[in-house]
Amino acid sequence: MLSVSKLMEERAFYNVYQPLMDSESGEIFAYEALLRTTPFINPEIIFNYGRDEGLLFKFDSAAISNAIKEFPYSFLENYFLFINVFPSTIVHPNFKNFIENISHNYPKIKYRIVFEINEASCEKALWKEDVFSECLQWLNYIGFKIAFDDITFNHFPVDFIENYKPDFVKLDRSCSKNLSESIEKQVFIINLLSKMQRNTYVVLEGIETKEDFQIAKEIGVPYLQGYYISKPHRI
């Protein structure tokens, strides 16, 4: 049986990084840190076990630390680093102290880290809590950016975007799969782009074919991510 406690004790996890491309320039502008284990276990399963063991905050914060530790420090001068985080981690009483400590150890991360808020369904209620909003504002205030992750096709949470004003909104592969063949998806993304507030940028994930890549560029998606651009890899 999987034991997150043992996984942490043995440090039996590491990170791979997937590039995000600026569609206009064709240059890589950021990387997303993704958790991996040997042998491979779906990260979602690991975090669910961590939740069941009462270790979610401890493991999530360890994963954040490791993502920063394994990312070449010099890369922060030229690239943003996207790191996933759970809402329950953000509102945890020890989160601010954790962020202050890691900022002290790695000063360059300020203004270069983008926290991707995990869309776990079991934590949806936290999005409506004042403490969650306050913690996001605090992160922005001290120099961290925010991304809302896994926005799905035909579901655009306008109220969340307007209330929280994230720096990035990430559309999942339900929006990108067969994009070149779906006028409906193209129209959805074009409408979404037109509703974006100033300084909120869209990232389209799951770009896996040349055709979808070209259409995404043509309709004006500013940032792209997916296997067609690059698979996740160690740096």
Side-chain angles (χ1 to χ4, degrees):
M1 179 180 292
L2 175 64
S3 168
V4 172
S5 177
K6 185 176 180 181
L7 194 70
M8 293 177 63
E9 182 181 337
E10 297 178 353
R11 303 297 295 182
F13 58 93
Y14 62 95
N15 284 94
V16 292
Y17 300 87
Q18 185 172 35
L20 286 73
M21 176 183 285
D22 181 319
S23 65
E24 184 174 351
S25 68
E27 300 291 328
I28 301 304
F29 90 101
Y31 288 84
E32 179 181 355
L34 301 167
L35 187 78
R36 293 290 185 266
T37 55
T38 303
F40 177 77
I41 303 172
N42 188 319
E44 185 175 350
I45 293 175
I46 298 173
F47 283 108
N48 284 339
Y49 269 88
R51 190 189 306 279
D52 292 342
E53 292 179 39
L55 295 171
L56 183 58
F57 172 77
K58 190 173 182 180
F59 186 60
D60 201 18
S61 55
I64 292 169
S65 296
N66 199 71
I68 294 170
K69 178 182 178 182
E70 292 189 357
F71 192 66
Y73 202 47
S74 62
F75 274 35
L76 291 170
E77 296 176 5
N78 299 309
Y79 308 108
F80 289 104
L81 176 59
F82 283 65
I83 302 177
N84 292 275
V85 61
F86 283 91
S88 61
T89 296
I90 290 175
V91 303
H92 192 280
N94 294 334
F95 181 68
K96 287 187 177 181
N97 186 57
F98 163 71
I99 291 296
E100 288 169 352
N101 286 338
I102 204 166
S103 297
H104 176 76
N105 293 333
Y106 301 95
K108 287 184 181 179
I109 65 173
K110 284 197 173 183
Y111 306 104
R112 307 307 294 171
I113 297 290
V114 182
F115 282 113
E116 282 192 37
I117 313 302
N118 189 290
E119 290 281 315
S121 58
C122 60
E123 296 195 357
K124 281 292 186 183
L126 287 174
W127 289 70
K128 299 178 181 180
E129 298 288 336
D130 288 342
V131 65
F132 179 67
S133 177
E134 291 166 2
C135 287
L136 292 187
Q137 291 174 13
W138 175 78
L139 281 170
N140 265 150
Y141 177 74
I142 65 170
F144 294 93
K145 297 183 180 298
I146 301 297
F148 287 175
D149 197 16
D150 294 332
I151 304 301
T152 57
F153 176 52
N154 275 339
H155 174 67
F156 179 55
V158 178
D159 52 342
F160 282 161
I161 304 300
E162 291 179 348
N163 290 339
Y164 295 121
K165 299 177 176 60
D167 300 283
F168 297 92
V169 171
K170 299 191 77 177
L171 310 183
D172 76 3
R173 67 189 313 272
S174 68
C175 301
S176 60
K177 186 177 182 181
N178 299 322
L179 176 64
S180 60
E181 302 172 9
S182 174
I183 298 300
E184 188 179 8
K185 289 185 179 182
Q186 294 173 34
V187 170
F188 169 73
I189 294 173
I190 290 170
N191 288 338
L192 185 151
L193 289 169
S194 71
K195 295 175 182 177
M196 281 297 99
Q197 299 182 19
R198 183 182 179 187
N199 297 327
T200 296
Y201 301 98
V202 172
V203 179
L204 181 58
E205 301 177 311
I207 298 294
E208 297 185 355
T209 69
K210 180 179 180 180
E211 292 76 17
D212 292 342
F213 174 77
Q214 290 176 331
I215 288 296
K217 289 180 64 175
E218 288 175 12
I219 64 177
V221 182
Y223 301 114
L224 305 173
Q225 180 179 359
Y227 276 25
Y228 178 74
I229 296 165
S230 176
K231 292 183 178 180
H233 57 274
R234 301 197 78 169
I235 298 178

